[in-house]
Amino acid sequence: MWSASLFFYQSFLLCGYLYAHYMSRIKVKAQIWLHLILMATATAVTFSQVDKCTLTMLPPPSSVLINLLTQVGPIFVILSATSILMQHWYSAIFHKSVPYHWYGWSNLGSLVALLSFPFIFEVYFDLTMQKQIWITALALLVVMVFMLSVLLSKHKPQTPIQKTSTNSTHFHNKRLLCVVLAACSSMSLISTTQMVNVNIPPMPLTWTIPLVIYLLTFIAAFWLPAPKQSLYTSAALIFAVFAGVLMYFLGGQFSAIEQLSMYCLIQLICCFVCHRTLKSIAPTSQSMTSFYLCIAVGSVIGSLLCSIIAPTIFNQLLEYPITLFLVLFIHLPSLKKATATKSLQFIYALTLTVAIGGFTLINQAYTQLDIASERNFYGFISVKDVPLNTAIERRLIDGTTIHGTEVLEGQLSNQNSYYHAQTGVAKTLNALQSNGPLSIGIIGLGAGTLSKYAMQQDKLTFYELNPAVHHMAQRYFSYLRSSRADLEVKIGDGRQLIADEVAKLFPPQDAIIIDAFSSDIIPTHLLTEEAMAIYWQRMKSNGVLLMHISNNHIDLMPILLSHSQQFDKTLLLFEHLNDNPAQLSSKWAVLTSNERIIALLSNPATTVDTERHNMITWTDERHSLLPLIML
């Protein structure tokens, strides 16, 4: 979803730059007042809503783009053009050179906004208040632009002497390079974001860090003097390529901080080199809008390649290493006028050859256990057959996280699964089944492992967001095919599907299991107070809510403690810790007011006292992962 949002960002930035480019061809005073009128009009239609039924009928990327278009599309185009137009007005009215450092200030404003959101606005303000603050600031901006328009209208634009400068001719010959450089930096931004979010919980904080790096390099590149090729730049770029290949295969072995640090350093080098080269070919005022237009075109191409095209043609996140190789390759021609040209070009060419060859060999070894893989809007899913001693174990892997296993040959203790007999979910289901047939809803299918605990008279309903997961579970695992229960799989968002069943007065369920935290991702909308209210409406009065909260980076207990108090439920915690590093530890939480179940589970489980722990409330309007991060 974030990648689709970045594609919207880059695409409408291009629209804004196109608008500024053609606006610059009319008289300056007309530009100023027309821009003000369009800004006021766009402000008036900001936050328009589109019918939710329309969005659900569309493919996910289209749904994201249309929602953003209707809410902030027009004002985004106008705002993205404002900085460029102001540079043009200044240059035209006062006959000055283009203040390219203003572009750095503009990006600094974006940087401040990005950093303030996860640390201030998301933590202290709900969504409604955030919108009110934003629209108020926007109205103030319109007033400020009006005041500027009045001041500028008093000045008569000076007519510069028309001549073609050497700099403009140089840029004309470098327009394609400008587009490619911008595309490479955009690809680095999006592919790095995707790599970071494979193992680290996606949230505004981690989403914005690569974008912060992207903006910082723009700011630095356009504030610093024109660059010159140096051995330091070349060494840094070579390091980035090899480090990126290493992180591609081994990133999951490092801690969250180590991963973030390495990915950000690699992206910092790639983006800075691209943006510094862009600044070196920046033209004079005569071609200023064309220069920014080339940057926008390249950014859209890079975003399109990584956000839309790559997920449809690659079964792996191959756009990340491809971007690294492309950045290195693009900078080979830039060495023609550098000192020690032949030796440096040879080093670059050798580095590129070794990196591509090494990546190909390692990737072949890394994927040789793959039986199948599939990638779509929701992520990257693979099935691997892994030899373990005398057995072969089939694993369903989302990103780098195992979401179901099955022994194909030999004998193997099932202790390396999240769902073995000693886990909280197995013990809870056994306790429930002692009272007769069950009706259970399960958000998150995985390999379908939980269906093995169902009895012949039980009714199981799986709610799975990702159709690729359902395909893998049906074709490569036997759990669904061999289940004795009346089994149904519904494709869609679990919360929405359950809410639809509540509205249609479906028979109440005995339990709901939430096991949708794929690759350490936390779908926050499944854990808000409003979501909990829907779950309890769907269940019987003595129903049981089970949640799989095994996670490397997020502690969800403060949220669950708050819910247990809010809905007057007892919270039981099952923690199964394995001493063997090859085995998986699991953590399951149970919320219920069923005294019989509480009595049966009180021995293996731990009853959590809400009065002795911190509690954090999550609602649809306000929720932040920041206080829950475990570094």
Side-chain angles (χ1 to χ4, degrees):
M1 187 174 292
W2 180 248
S3 295
S5 299
L6 283 176
F7 177 65
F8 165 84
Y9 165 77
Q10 305 281 21
S11 300
F12 278 72
L13 196 69
L14 172 60
C15 293
Y17 286 7
L18 273 171
Y19 160 76
H21 179 68
Y22 287 104
M23 178 78 83
S24 66
R25 298 184 177 186
I26 65 177
K27 292 183 179 180
V28 174
K29 287 187 177 181
Q31 293 178 42
I32 295 171
W33 290 104
L34 179 57
H35 185 69
L36 177 63
I37 293 170
L38 291 175
M39 178 178 286
T41 304
T43 300
V45 299
T46 297
F47 294 143
S48 301
Q49 298 293 329
V50 63
D51 184 67
K52 290 184 178 179
C53 294
T54 303
L55 295 177
T56 56
M57 294 171 61
L58 297 169
S62 301
S63 177
V64 173
L65 293 175
I66 290 176
N67 196 21
L68 289 171
L69 168 63
T70 56
Q71 294 206 46
V72 295
I75 192 61
F76 187 89
V77 171
I78 301 299
L79 288 175
S80 63
T82 300
S83 172
I84 296 175
L85 285 175
M86 285 185 175
Q87 293 176 56
H88 172 69
W89 297 341
Y90 174 83
S91 179
I93 291 175
F94 301 105
H95 194 24
K96 302 284 187 179
S97 60
V98 177
Y100 280 113
H101 62 280
W102 287 13
Y103 193 61
W105 282 109
S106 176
N107 282 290
L108 180 61
S110 299
L111 178 61
V112 171
L114 276 173
L115 293 177
S116 66
F117 181 77
F119 291 105
I120 299 176
F121 287 96
E122 190 185 34
V123 176
Y124 297 107
F125 302 103
D126 59 35
L127 291 175
T128 301
M129 180 60 69
Q130 289 177 35
K131 285 188 174 184
Q132 291 174 351
I133 293 172
W134 195 84
I135 203 72
T136 301
L138 180 58
L140 289 174
L141 178 62
V142 173
V143 173
M144 294 171 67
V145 172
F146 172 76
M147 295 170 63
L148 177 65
S149 302
V150 172
L151 291 173
L152 292 179
S153 63
K154 298 177 181 179
H155 294 270
K156 185 178 181 180
Q158 300 182 25
T159 304
I161 300 174
Q162 296 294 328
K163 63 179 182 178
T164 302
S165 66
T166 304
N167 186 269
S168 294
T169 304
H170 175 70
F171 168 70
H172 182 78
N173 297 330
K174 295 284 187 177
R175 284 183 297 180
L176 180 59
L177 176 62
C178 183
V179 171
V180 174
L181 287 167
C184 286
S185 66
S186 178
M187 290 171 66
S188 179
L189 162 65
I190 297 173
S191 62
T192 299
T193 305
Q194 292 169 339
M195 290 301 298
V196 166
N197 288 330
V198 168
N199 298 307
I200 301 174
M203 56 180 174
L205 179 60
T206 56
W207 292 340
T208 55
I209 288 176
L211 190 50
V212 165
I213 299 295
Y214 181 76
L215 293 173
L216 276 174
T217 56
F218 255 127
I219 294 168
F222 279 77
W223 272 355
L224 294 173
K228 293 182 179 180
Q229 184 70 36
S230 70
L231 291 175
Y232 298 107
T233 302
S234 303
L237 196 54
I238 292 171
F239 163 79
V241 171
F242 282 109
V245 171
L246 175 69
M247 292 299 295
Y248 182 83
F249 293 109
L250 302 177
Q253 307 300 317
F254 299 101
S255 69
I257 291 296
E258 291 169 340
Q259 289 185 65
L260 275 175
S261 300
M262 281 302 299
Y263 280 124
C264 289
L265 176 60
I266 294 165
Q267 186 205 347
L268 177 68
I269 294 170
C270 292
C271 287
F272 185 70
V273 170
C274 290
H275 294 160
R276 287 279 280 165
T277 308
L278 277 173
K279 175 63 185 303
S280 69
I281 58 177
T284 60
S285 58
Q286 296 176 27
S287 303
M288 184 263 291
T289 56
S290 297
F291 172 64
Y292 285 125
L293 191 59
C294 287
I295 292 177
V297 170
S299 298
V300 171
I301 292 173
S303 182
L304 178 67
L305 290 173
C306 282
S307 299
I308 308 297
I309 296 178
T312 63
I313 64 175
F314 295 142
N315 284 336
Q316 298 174 266
L317 295 171
L318 293 178
E319 60 269 28
Y320 183 73
I322 288 174
T323 299
L324 296 173
F325 302 147
L326 186 58
V327 170
L328 187 62
F329 176 77
I330 289 302
H331 283 83
L332 273 171
S334 68
L335 301 175
K336 288 182 178 178
K337 296 182 180 180
T339 58
T341 301
K342 292 183 179 180
S343 59
L344 206 53
Q345 281 186 318
F346 174 76
I347 293 172
Y348 263 45
L350 181 62
T351 300
L352 186 61
T353 304
V354 172
I356 294 176
F359 173 82
T360 303
L361 292 175
I362 297 173
N363 193 54
Q364 288 176 350
Y366 186 76
T367 58
Q368 66 179 352
L369 299 178
D370 285 2
I371 301 302
S373 61
E374 189 169 343
R375 185 181 174 193
N376 58 16
F377 181 78
Y378 302 105
F380 168 57
I381 305 294
S382 62
V383 176
K384 295 179 181 288
D385 284 352
V386 181
L388 295 174
N389 297 324
T390 58
I392 296 179
E393 183 182 70
R394 177 161 291 179
R395 296 177 178 177
L396 177 67
I397 300 176
D398 185 341
T400 59
T401 303
I402 299 173
H403 283 280
T405 62
E406 184 175 13
V407 178
L408 301 182
E409 297 179 10
Q411 293 183 349
L412 185 70
S413 172
N414 207 25
Q415 297 299 307
N416 64 331
S417 167
Y418 288 122
Y419 311 101
H420 58 78
Q422 303 303 315
T423 58
V425 64
K427 292 180 178 296
T428 303
L429 290 176
N430 288 335
L432 284 168
Q433 286 166 339
S434 63
N435 202 38
L438 299 175
S439 175
I440 301 174
I442 304 174
I443 300 179
L445 174 63
T449 313
L450 288 176
S451 62
K452 71 180 182 180
Y453 290 107
M455 306 299 287
Q456 189 168 0
Q457 301 300 319
D458 292 342
K459 164 70 176 177
L460 287 188
T461 304
F462 285 98
Y463 310 97
E464 174 54 51
L465 180 66
N466 190 346
V469 172
H470 184 209
H471 169 71
M472 296 292 189
Q474 272 190 319
R475 183 169 182 178
Y476 298 103
F477 295 86
S478 66
Y479 297 116
L480 298 182
R481 297 191 300 269
S482 61
S483 176
R484 296 170 293 176
D486 178 9
L487 192 148
E488 181 180 9
V489 178
K490 294 185 176 182
I491 303 299
D493 181 82
R495 172 175 164 174
Q496 293 181 359
L497 292 173
I498 291 176
D500 290 341
E501 293 177 352
V502 171
K504 294 175 183 178
L505 302 178
F506 276 41
Q509 294 175 326
D510 297 285
I512 290 178
I513 302 172
I514 303 177
D515 186 20
F517 304 153
S518 63
S519 193
D520 276 350
I521 295 171
I522 307 298
T524 54
H525 74 293
L526 296 180
L527 294 176
T528 62
E529 284 187 4
E530 294 85 349
M532 292 292 161
I534 293 172
Y535 303 149
W536 295 118
Q537 292 175 43
R538 184 67 182 88
M539 288 186 286
K540 298 175 181 177
S541 58
N542 63 346
V544 177
L545 180 63
L546 294 92
M547 284 163 285
H548 187 188
I549 59 173
S550 303
N551 195 280
N552 294 323
H553 307 295
I554 300 293
D555 178 16
L556 294 174
M557 286 305 296
I559 306 299
L560 302 185
L561 289 164
S562 176
H563 291 325
S564 68
Q565 187 177 73
Q566 176 74 20
F567 294 96
D568 193 24
K569 305 294 181 181
T570 298
L571 175 60
L572 303 174
L573 182 63
F574 292 85
E575 287 191 89
H576 182 82
L577 302 177
N578 285 314
D579 296 329
N580 187 343
Q583 296 177 344
L584 301 176
S585 300
S586 67
K587 192 174 183 179
W588 290 83
V590 175
L591 285 172
T592 186
S593 57
N594 189 323
E595 296 296 337
R596 186 183 71 86
I597 295 299
I598 294 172
L600 288 172
L601 297 179
S602 58
N603 184 26
T606 303
T607 303
V608 184
D609 187 357
T610 58
E611 295 182 358
R612 297 183 180 180
H613 294 80
N614 294 328
M615 291 184 286
I616 297 176
T617 301
W618 272 6
T619 66
D620 287 347
E621 282 281 302
R622 182 176 170 184
H623 49 266
S624 172
L625 286 169
L626 195 61
L628 308 177
I629 295 177
M630 301 182 298
L631 298 179

